[in-house]
Amino acid sequence: QVQLVESGGGLVQAGGSLRLSCAASGSIFSIDAMGWYRQVPGKQRELVAAITRGGSTNYADSVKGRFTISRDNAKNTVYLQMTSLKPEDTAVYLCNAEVVTGILHMPYDYWGQGTQVTVSS
């Protein structure tokens, strides 16, 4: 089994910053891509940012220049540094990881439970 645990969410004023962390643990052989998604009630879950094991990154247009994704492969942890936050960034942020649990195993998607980020105007 693999668990993803997020931390770092909270309430912040517009223009402020937050740093999210997501640590993966359990039966992990390796982790391919890791990413952050966000979910607002009544809307589709959307990709915020993703990072490959080698460090290549991809961002949603709405967060480019404001958010930075990074990872520590030794700690199986991914981070999301969020700056210049806007009220429209308010959402539940979920961590995702493509985890390989053994040699010759295919990667499988795992999700964290989510952490609430609320940006007040």
Side-chain angles (χ1 to χ4, degrees), residues 6-10 18 20 35-49 67 80 82 87-96 111-119:
E6 299 112 332
S7 61
L18 281 175
L20 305 183
W36 289 94
Y37 290 71
R38 62 189 181 188
Q39 180 96 58
V40 175
K43 293 189 175 182
Q44 263 193 325
R45 183 175 296 183
E46 65 167 347
L47 174 68
V48 176
F67 291 10
L80 185 68
M82 305 186 291
E88 50 264 43
D89 294 318
T90 296
V92 174
Y93 283 70
L94 301 109
C95 172
N96 170 266
W111 293 88
Q113 79 287 354
T115 185
Q116 177 70 44
V117 171
T118 303
V119 184

Side-chain angles (χ1 to χ4, degrees), residues 1-2 26-30 99-103 105-108 110:
Q1 276 286 14
V2 174
S27 301
I28 299 171
F29 178 76
S30 66
V99 180
V100 179
T101 55
I103 293 177
H105 289 201
M106 296 297 291
Y108 185 84
Y110 288 88

